[in-house]
Amino acid sequence: MNADVRGKFTVVGIGPGDPELITLKAARLIGAAPVIAYHAGVRKQSHARRIASSLIPSGAIEEELRYPVTTGTTSHPGGYVGAMAEFYESCAVRLSAHLDAGRDVVLLAEGDPLFYGSSMYLHDRFKEIYETSVVPGVPAFAAATAAVSTPLVRQTDVLTVLPGTLPEPELARRLADTEAAIIMKLGRTFPAVRSALEAAGRLEGAWYVERASQPEERWLPVADVDPSSVPYFSLIVVPGDSAPAPASAATRLRQESLEESSVAEPVETTSERGEVLVVGLGPGPDGWLTPEVSSALAEVDHVVGYAPYVNRVPQRAGLQRHASGNTVEVDRARHALDLALAGERVAVVSGGDAGVFGMAAAVFEAAEDPAYADVRVRVLPGVSAVQAVAARAGAPVGADFAVMSLSDRLKPWSVVEDRLRAVAGADLVLAIYNPASRSRTEQIGLARDVLLEQRKPDTVVIVGRDVGRAEESLTVTTLGDLDPGSIDMKCLVIVGASSTRVTAAGQVWTPRYVR
């Protein structure tokens, strides 16, 4: 058929349930459509059709797209995913017949079509074949927020929309990291969602809203909800106003200490002397987190660090998280010291061991400020990346070894080259941190060339990437064959000494003795 006579496919958002919340544009398109399609649940009437029933023309062809399964079990060989993929494909075939015959099709979508909506799957199939468009609708969370008459966000508040199907620890972490939140997809997930809210310290002030804008609408505090009564058509509103107030005392004390730094009198506080714990989380797996660090993290009030490391700390009630970028180490340290100065219990977290190219040195650097004279800094060790990679390879650092970073952000490259030559000349095993990054792609190749000035090309080299994580890989090669292009910021490189050996099984070790 000529594409010029094909019908147009339009996905129309019809809002959360109240027919009066259907937009004028949506109403106009529904009223003029020759074909109306809508989804329906297993053994249930279509909510979408019920909402828009008064607008559907009497002569319109109706296509009910009934789901074969919900989130329960299915006998389909492809499981739930396979059953749903087959369902959407069959829906596309049915609606394509109308479009190819020149009939426009309007697909009704509850709430907003592209906000957790099933209609997006058909839209994705059709957008490259037919003329398509989407009419936005009032999302359920907007109606729910209106129901509880509470501002969701103000000024610079951050709003996060979360599915209740997330793992409970991840849900708790994200709730703790945002001012306001909407939690969708409740039903059977409600008990875990409630537990996550409690762990994040966000249970108080959170509202449960059921069937927003519909005649059966009800709302009440999440803490008062009977878990057995929660249907799928429900959500939770966590207003930004319910977020814990940031600790402002630390900032005030920091300012006071700066203002009084010209006098010899010590800074006085009403709190006990604070302490900053600087802890290493290990290279990745929870099993590499030491019991000492786990105990410390269970007792502090604040966790400060680079965002990916802060994200690894389990959320619990009362814990405040302070995540920041990767190049603001001293500012991050000052923030932790400010909190401790106000009497707060603070942990600064690092990946691996905090004392090996981690946050420990940055905290001590910031603590040189006399304003922090009353703050104690204590470092708790962790498994370092070099230990993890070496253990995976065998025992390459069983003898004398050196550890270096190739980053020239805090030192000139000439210093790096001088130290590489010194290590090569001393015939030490060398562990190389930060071998490359998005902006530093040449250093590892330069380092290889410097080492080859004094080391043989057959010197053993180990490249560990994401060691301890699902994407882990370990490569044993030689200095001459090392491909700089294969090295990225997720790698740690170990260059062996002249005595380093590889066993028949491919394990690497360095003898403790020198002959």
Side-chain angles (χ1 to χ4, degrees):
M1 167 129 346
N2 192 316
D4 292 340
V5 298
R6 284 178 168 179
K8 179 179 179 181
F9 179 70
T10 305
V11 185
V12 172
I14 55 175
D18 183 350
E20 292 186 341
L21 293 179
I22 297 177
T23 66
L24 293 174
K25 183 174 184 178
R28 175 176 59 80
L29 291 171
I30 294 170
V35 180
I36 298 288
Y38 43 81
H39 289 92
V42 178
R43 296 182 296 277
K44 295 179 181 179
Q45 290 186 334
S46 170
H47 289 283
R49 191 195 187 286
R50 176 180 57 80
I51 295 169
S53 59
S54 64
L55 300 172
I56 298 175
S58 58
I61 301 171
E62 297 189 28
E63 289 282 1
E64 182 185 74
L65 311 176
R66 184 171 292 278
Y67 296 111
V69 65
T70 55
T71 56
T73 58
T74 174
S75 59
H76 193 282
Y80 174 77
V81 173
M84 294 305 294
E86 185 176 286
F87 164 68
Y88 288 124
E89 195 58 42
S90 68
C91 293
V93 170
R94 287 170 59 185
L95 300 186
S96 292
H98 294 294
L99 295 168
D100 289 340
R103 292 187 288 270
D104 292 343
V105 176
V106 167
L107 175 62
L108 306 180
E110 297 158 56
D112 181 85
L114 302 182
F115 188 80
Y116 291 123
S118 298
S119 59
M120 68 178 73
Y121 301 111
L122 287 171
H123 178 265
D124 288 346
R125 283 170 166 79
F126 286 159
K127 64 184 179 182
E128 302 298 334
I129 306 171
Y130 304 102
E131 181 183 356
T132 63
S133 63
V134 177
V135 177
V138 176
F141 77 82
T145 305
V148 298
S149 299
T150 299
L152 184 57
V153 284
R154 301 176 189 264
Q155 298 178 341
T156 58
D157 284 350
V158 173
L159 170 66
T160 304
V161 180
L162 300 164
T165 50
L166 283 176
E168 185 180 323
E170 176 70 4
L171 187 58
R173 178 185 71 77
R174 290 177 180 268
L175 285 166
D177 286 347
T178 189
E179 284 82 20
I182 296 293
I183 308 176
M184 314 283 290
K185 301 180 182 293
L186 296 183
R188 71 187 69 185
T189 69
F190 180 83
V193 171
R194 187 191 187 284
S195 179
L197 282 163
E198 191 167 18
R202 305 303 301 274
L203 184 59
E204 184 178 353
W207 287 92
Y208 167 85
V209 184
E210 182 178 305
R211 296 184 171 89
S213 85
Q214 301 176 35
E216 307 88 353
E217 174 186 274
R218 72 176 184 128
W219 66 93
L220 64 160
V222 173
D224 298 339
V225 175
D226 175 7
S228 65
S229 69
V230 177
Y232 181 80
F233 288 100
S234 58
L235 54 81
I236 290 172
V237 177
V238 186
D241 290 346
S242 69
S248 58
T251 303
R252 291 197 302 271
L253 284 169
R254 167 71 177 162
Q255 185 60 38
E256 290 171 4
S257 67
L258 290 174
E259 292 173 354
E260 297 174 6
S261 60
S262 58
V263 262
E265 297 179 4
V267 176
E268 295 183 2
T269 73
T270 57
S271 305
E272 296 179 359
R273 186 179 75 168
E275 179 181 58
V276 171
L277 297 176
V278 191
V279 304
L281 301 176
D286 292 340
W288 289 350
L289 188 70
T290 70
E292 180 186 36
V293 170
S294 293
S295 297
L297 293 175
E299 296 178 356
V300 296
D301 304 309
H302 302 264
V303 173
V304 179
Y306 178 40
Y309 301 144
V310 171
N311 292 346
R312 289 172 53 190
V313 179
Q315 183 58 41
R316 54 177 169 76
L319 180 65
Q320 295 188 45
R321 310 155 74 86
H322 309 270
S324 53
N326 193 28
T327 59
V328 290
E329 293 91 346
V330 176
D331 290 340
R332 186 186 304 147
R334 290 194 185 104
H335 181 50
L337 291 163
D338 285 338
L339 290 167
L341 195 62
E344 301 288 332
R345 298 178 298 178
V346 188
V348 177
V349 293
S350 270
D353 180 272
V356 181
F357 302 117
M359 278 298 299
V363 172
F364 278 106
E365 179 181 343
E368 287 187 325
D369 188 328
Y372 302 120
D374 287 335
V375 179
R376 179 187 178 194
V377 177
R378 188 154 56 99
V379 181
L380 307 184
V383 176
S384 67
V386 62
Q387 289 175 293
V389 173
R392 285 288 195 261
V397 294
D400 297 340
F401 69 98
V403 179
M404 284 186 59
S405 168
L406 289 194
S407 174
D408 55 358
R409 186 168 66 87
L410 300 176
K411 59 182 181 288
W413 180 251
S414 60
V415 171
V416 176
E417 287 196 356
D418 289 344
R419 292 175 179 176
L420 286 169
R421 289 188 173 94
V423 170
D427 196 18
L428 297 173
V429 175
L430 173 63
I432 299 176
Y433 281 68
N434 306 312
S437 70
R438 292 186 183 90
S439 60
R440 295 184 300 101
T441 59
E442 298 180 356
Q443 277 86 338
I444 185 64
L446 295 173
R448 179 201 58 186
D449 294 342
V450 170
L451 292 172
L452 282 170
E453 293 173 5
Q454 301 180 67
R455 294 285 182 90
K456 294 180 179 179
D458 62 357
T459 300
V460 179
V461 173
I462 303 160
V463 179
R465 174 183 284 103
D466 281 326
V467 168
R469 299 182 175 89
E471 304 81 13
E472 172 182 316
S473 67
L474 192 79
T475 302
V476 178
T477 182
T478 64
L479 195 58
D481 290 336
L482 178 64
D483 176 14
S486 67
I487 308 299
D488 57 29
M489 61 195 302
K490 296 182 178 182
C491 295
L492 183 136
V493 179
I494 298 178
V495 180
S498 60
S499 59
T500 302
R501 307 174 184 179
V502 182
T503 69
Q507 293 181 295
V508 181
W509 68 289
T510 302
R512 296 172 297 162
Y513 50 81
V514 176
R515 291 176 179 171

